[in-house]
Amino acid sequence: MISARRTLLAFGITLLAATALPSAPALAVLSEQAVAPNARVEDADGKAVEIKSLKGKPIVIVYDDRTSAPKSEAFRRDLVKLLKSGPYTSKVSLLIVADVSPYDFWPARGTVKDAVRDETKKQGTTVYCDWTGGMRSAYKLKNEITSVVMVGKDGRVMFAKEGVPAGADQKRLVDALKAEVEGS
C-alpha cells in the first residue's frame, strides 16, 4: 500500500513538472545600438523625469535595488565625481535609479522617500525612484544586480552592462562618454 502511494506520488510530481507552465524568459540588459525605450522615474519629491525628455544629451543610468546598491557604491561615487568635472559638467544626464517597487504602499512609501532624500545628499546627485518597476521592465534589468546603461545623444544604447563595470568595461564606458561629449 505504501509502495503504491509512493509510486503515485512520484508519478504525480513528474506529471506536474512536465505540464508546468514554462518559466518566463530571463531578462537581459538591452543590447547596444538598440533604441532606448522611454521610462519614467521620479525623485523623492515626486518630480518626474522621462528618458525621452533627455534626448540630445548622453544619459548614464545606474540602476540598483536594495541588494545590489551596496556593491556599486564606490562606482557610483566615482561616476558622480567624473560627471561633475571637466568636459562632462552639465553635458551628461546622470540617472541613479533605485528600484523601490516593492515599497510602493503606505506607510513604506514615505519612509523610502526619506531614505532616498538622505541618499541624494550622500551621493551628491539626485537619486530617482522606479516605483512601478517600469524602467526595470523596459530596460530588461535583472533583480539584485547593478545595471549600467549609457544612452547616446541619438537615443541609442551605447553601453550596457549587468554588474558594476570594472577594468575594460569601465574604460569602454568612459570612452563612449568621451566620444559623445568631445566628439572624439
Side-chain angles (χ1 to χ4, degrees):
M1 183 78 157
I2 292 175
S3 177
R5 282 189 183 165
R6 283 186 188 151
T7 303
L8 281 172
L9 180 60
F11 176 75
I13 290 170
T14 304
L15 184 60
L16 181 61
T19 60
L21 295 174
S23 60
L27 297 178
V29 70
L30 293 173
S31 61
E32 294 179 13
Q33 294 308 312
V35 174
N38 191 37
R40 181 183 180 280
V41 293
E42 60 184 57
D43 67 13
D45 296 319
K47 181 181 174 194
V49 172
E50 289 193 32
I51 298 297
K52 69 181 180 183
S53 72
L54 302 174
K55 192 172 179 182
K57 233 179 174 180
I59 307 162
V60 178
I61 302 164
V62 180
Y63 193 97
D64 274 310
D65 58 23
R66 189 176 129 202
T67 302
S68 63
K71 299 171 194 161
S72 68
E73 189 171 343
F75 171 77
R76 287 192 317 267
R77 185 177 47 249
D78 291 346
L79 186 63
V80 169
K81 191 183 303 181
L82 173 71
L83 297 181
K84 289 192 173 213
S85 67
Y88 304 108
T89 306
S90 74
K91 293 183 181 176
V92 177
S93 295
L94 174 62
L95 295 179
I96 295 179
V97 182
D99 178 6
V100 294
S101 58
Y103 309 102
D104 191 14
F105 62 91
W106 183 88
R109 190 174 180 131
T111 303
V112 168
K113 284 182 175 188
D114 290 342
V116 168
R117 283 185 193 96
D118 291 345
E119 192 64 22
T120 290
K121 288 177 189 167
K122 180 179 165 188
Q123 294 289 329
T125 192
T126 304
V127 175
Y128 293 91
C129 300
D130 183 5
W131 289 107
T132 65
M135 177 174 259
R136 177 180 295 285
S137 178
Y139 280 73
K140 302 178 181 177
L141 308 174
K142 291 182 181 175
N143 289 319
E144 301 181 358
I145 298 175
T146 297
S147 294
V148 179
V149 177
M150 183 193 147
V151 178
K153 295 179 201 177
D154 64 356
R156 294 197 174 275
V157 175
M158 297 189 67
F159 177 89
K161 170 87 173 117
E162 290 176 345
V164 178
D169 286 327
Q170 197 165 358
K171 182 182 180 335
R172 201 165 54 85
L173 172 61
V174 172
D175 288 347
L177 274 167
K178 188 180 230 182
E180 282 291 288
V181 170
E182 298 175 6
S184 49

